[in-house]
Amino acid sequence: MATFESLGLCEWLTKQCKQMGISQPTPVQEKCIPAILEGRDCMGCAKTGSGKTAAFVLPVVQKLSEDPYGIFCLVLTPTRELAYQIAEQFRALGKPLGLKECIIVGGMDMVNQGLMLSKKPHIVVATPGRLADHIRSSDTVKMNRLQFLILDEADRLLEQGCTDFTKDLEVILGAVPAKRQTLLFSATLTDTLQQLQGIAINRPFFFEQKSEVRTVAELDQRFILTPEKVKDAYLVYLIQKFQDEHYDWSIMIFTNTCKNCQILTMMLHEFNFPTISLHSMMKQKQRFANLAKFKSNVFKILIATDVAARGLDIPTVQVVINHNTPGLPKIYLHRVGRTARAGRNGIAITLVTQYDIHLINAVEEQNNAKLKEYPVEEKEVLKILTQVNVTRRQCEIRLESTDFEEKKKINKRKQMILEGKDPDLEEKRKAEEEKMRRKKKKQNRKKKNSAKTTAVDS
Ligand SMILES: Nc1ncnc2c1ncn2[C@@H]1O[C@H](COP(=O)(O)OP(=O)(O)OP(=O)(O)O)[C@@H](O)[C@H]1O
């Protein structure tokens, strides 16, 4: 059986691992660490909670110890909370080295960040948007000697979702040296493999944990078929049940919009559940504070949008509830991966309405995992149905009176101004980009159709 020593890690680092309860390499660590130490680019695809972070942190820290300078390594990640979590792993494993790391994410003071960057930290962990802003607006970011570029949740960084990172990535790639090691990691890396191959070109080592099922064996995957109108009653029923039977369990609930997140939080407060929320409309400081309260068990229930779906490592999470069925199987995979991590057990329950059956079928098919029905005492749910629905409506009315939508717009504009952007210009730019994207999509569709017609003709 491999040990961290046999993978080429030095003694002080393996000691540091042991102190953190990391004593035996996981498969992704066993295969990727030697390749990275050898100087190769690396693409690592392994299930959620399988230790991908240490698979890149450990070899980077070892290499840094051999020739320490700043900026040695840049890690890009799609969310701010994840950036803090990754930086924490670098800080903990690199402690004997006196490793200096710096976190560059949106929603935090840009001047302070500029100052930290100018001090040349060994490791920079960033979200692409804010780092690209720093590169565009000043020349304090000196990455000309950078040795490692790491894209964590690499497929998310490259896909064109509601937050599109591609423009910012271009800016960042233009600021890092071509001669470097590039490391790409995700539980769903294969979904954008071709694009990723263009970034990691230095004899890339590719590791994929082969397995028929894309979720971990320790995860019990369930569904509840419910009419849309009864969904919230099922949610309240489930939380009450878990609280009664397992008072020490933490629960993560995923929902589709910030507004829904807010309403559900208010509603669960009305039922006296210790609930806290995390979504992109909250002020960054509040986001960090809420996550810290959840992590430290002050609050046992976290309601979040997909901003919390990837990467977050909270060992106490025993239950994930999908209040809505995710539109994409890979989003499902990341959401349910917030539980059953590092060999622990966990349960994920998805509320499936009459409109979502095709979505849950796609989840089962693509992840090759069968979901079992979660047994429910329907009588108990019906007993609370009216009370839950009335409470929800009251919360909706209360939220409307707080100008939530208006605040959303104002917050966005404030954020832009803080980042030195002109909100009106940004709006125009976004509209223009969206127009171009649609035009391109249309052209591609046309091209495809004419290729099909030519094929039929011939
Ligand atoms: N070799 C190991 N032995 C035991 N625990 C480990 C080992 N490596 C990492 N861990 C722990 O496993 C947990 C999950 O690791 P990590 O967050 O890196 O998962 P991941 O593969 O990046 O998951 P995701 O795809 O959800 O981001 C962490 O708490 C980490 O400390």
Side-chain angles (χ1 to χ4, degrees):
M1 207 181 271
T3 60
F4 281 114
E5 289 87 346
S6 71
L7 304 183
L9 293 182
C10 47
E11 206 187 321
W12 68 266
L13 196 47
T14 56
K15 233 174 158 179
Q16 197 62 14
C17 286
K18 282 202 183 93
Q19 274 188 11
M20 291 172 61
I22 301 177
S23 43
Q24 191 81 43
T26 62
V28 65
Q29 293 163 357
E30 185 183 332
K31 296 291 184 274
C32 295
I33 291 174
I36 299 169
L37 288 174
E38 231 179 76
R40 296 176 68 177
D41 283 356
C42 178
M43 296 193 253
C45 181
K47 293 180 184 182
T48 50
S50 62
K52 293 185 287 296
T53 319
F56 62 77
V57 172
L58 286 168
V60 168
V61 170
Q62 167 135 337
K63 287 277 185 187
L64 176 72
S65 72
E66 291 162 10
D67 179 16
Y69 64 85
I71 299 174
F72 185 78
C73 167
L74 166 64
V75 187
L76 296 175
T77 183
T79 67
R80 300 163 183 183
E81 287 75 13
L82 203 44
Y84 276 74
Q85 189 179 292
I86 294 168
E88 175 58 40
Q89 284 241 7
F90 271 106
R91 197 177 309 135
L93 286 165
K95 201 171 170 200
L97 260 190
L99 179 146
K100 282 195 213 89
E101 84 291 331
C102 141
I103 303 162
I104 304 293
V105 297
M108 304 302 273
D109 186 75
M110 217 168 152
V111 179
N112 248 341
Q113 290 179 347
L115 207 69
M116 288 196 295
L117 281 171
S118 66
K119 288 184 184 158
K120 294 202 178 164
H122 299 123
I123 313 283
V124 174
V125 188
T127 47
R130 178 52 70 90
L131 183 66
D133 283 346
H134 278 282
I135 296 171
R136 284 190 199 103
S137 66
S138 82
D139 54 2
T140 48
V141 199
K142 294 263 181 297
M143 294 194 286
N144 47 329
R145 289 185 68 206
L146 192 97
Q147 181 67 35
F148 284 98
L149 171 67
I150 302 171
L151 269 60
D152 191 34
E153 308 294 346
D155 56 324
R156 174 66 195 92
L157 290 172
L158 286 183
E159 78 193 1
Q160 293 173 330
C162 58
T163 316
D164 190 345
F165 297 110
T166 45
K167 280 261 164 344
D168 298 321
L169 276 183
E170 269 172 32
V171 172
I172 296 165
L173 287 173
V176 297
K179 192 174 172 295
R180 58 165 198 260
Q181 267 180 266
T182 309
L183 317 178
L184 312 171
F185 282 87
S186 175
T188 47
L189 200 64
T190 39
D191 297 20
T192 42
L193 198 57
Q194 275 193 332
Q195 279 161 280
L196 293 165
Q197 272 160 346
I199 295 184
I201 46 175
N202 168 25
R203 292 189 301 133
F205 169 79
F206 180 66
F207 172 77
E208 185 185 7
Q209 195 177 15
K210 286 267 182 260
S211 159
E212 269 183 31
V213 183
R214 292 179 90 188
T215 42
V216 296
E218 292 80 7
L219 177 69
D220 184 8
Q221 298 180 76
R222 303 289 184 135
F223 72 89
I224 292 174
L225 208 54
T226 161
E228 181 71 41
K229 280 186 201 148
V230 193
K231 201 157 87 166
D232 291 337
Y234 273 105
L235 179 69
V236 171
Y237 164 85
L238 283 175
I239 296 174
Q240 188 64 61
K241 185 174 155 72
F242 285 122
Q243 291 247 303
D244 290 347
E245 292 173 8
H246 310 278
Y247 75 97
D248 55 335
W249 283 12
S250 293
I251 305 174
M252 260 178 108
I253 301 161
F254 284 100
T255 187
N256 53 353
T257 63
C258 299
K259 190 174 175 182
N260 227 354
C261 203
Q262 200 71 21
I263 291 169
L264 287 176
T265 310
M266 290 162 75
M267 187 183 91
L268 294 185
H269 278 165
E270 294 298 314
F271 286 94
N272 289 326
F273 293 127
T275 312
I276 212 156
S277 55
L278 181 63
H279 57 75
S280 59
M281 260 192 69
M282 291 162 58
K283 291 218 169 87
Q284 192 52 45
K285 288 214 169 109
Q286 192 65 55
R287 273 168 68 166
F288 287 139
N290 282 8
L291 188 59
K293 283 179 198 158
F294 181 63
K295 273 186 168 173
S296 58
N297 271 326
V298 177
F299 285 80
K300 294 238 179 280
I301 302 165
L302 178 76
I303 305 193
T305 56
D306 283 321
V307 76
R310 280 181 182 250
L312 291 184
D313 182 54
I314 307 165
T316 48
V317 175
Q318 293 275 356
V319 187
V320 167
I321 300 176
N322 284 319
H323 182 257
N324 74 306
T325 311
L328 289 173
K330 82 162 160 183
I331 295 181
Y332 172 89
L333 199 117
H334 287 282
R335 279 185 181 186
V336 299
R338 292 321 96 214
T339 185
R341 298 175 69 73
R344 292 182 204 92
N345 290 320
I347 180 166
I349 304 172
T350 303
L351 299 172
V352 183
T353 71
Q354 63 271 39
Y355 311 112
D356 310 321
I357 308 230
H358 64 292
L359 297 177
I360 209 69
N361 286 342
V363 163
E364 289 193 326
E365 199 179 305
Q366 282 199 33
N367 297 338
N368 212 3
K370 266 262 164 277
L371 273 61
K372 284 190 281 184
E373 188 156 10
Y374 188 80
V376 180
E377 290 167 56
E378 277 173 30
K379 260 195 338 217
E380 297 301 311
V381 178
L382 292 177
K383 267 191 211 163
I384 55 170
L385 178 63
T386 312
Q387 191 197 358
V388 171
N389 284 351
V390 168
T391 312
R392 184 189 172 105
R393 189 66 203 125
Q394 284 167 345
C395 294
E396 282 171 352
I397 293 166
R398 245 172 55 212
L399 192 71
E400 271 158 30
S401 70
T402 62
D403 298 334
F404 187 76
E405 293 297 335
E406 197 51 37
K407 265 194 192 153
K408 185 173 169 179
K409 276 189 205 151
I410 295 169
N411 276 351
K412 262 194 178 164
R413 288 179 73 87
K414 262 193 199 162
Q415 189 56 45
M416 281 184 201
I417 294 166
L418 270 178
E419 288 169 8
K421 292 176 185 164
D422 178 335
D424 296 324
L425 271 181
E426 278 302 305
E427 229 166 73
K428 257 191 196 164
R429 188 180 65 83
K430 280 220 172 111
E432 201 60 39
E433 268 177 19
E434 182 56 29
K435 208 168 133 190
M436 296 288 282
R437 212 169 61 85
R438 263 196 243 124
K439 204 169 156 189
K440 218 170 161 186
K441 219 174 165 184
K442 206 170 160 189
Q443 279 170 347
N444 282 345
R445 221 181 298 133
K446 254 190 190 165
K447 255 191 219 163
K448 260 190 199 162
N449 284 343
S450 69
K452 262 190 206 160
T453 324
T454 323
V456 172
D457 288 349
S458 59

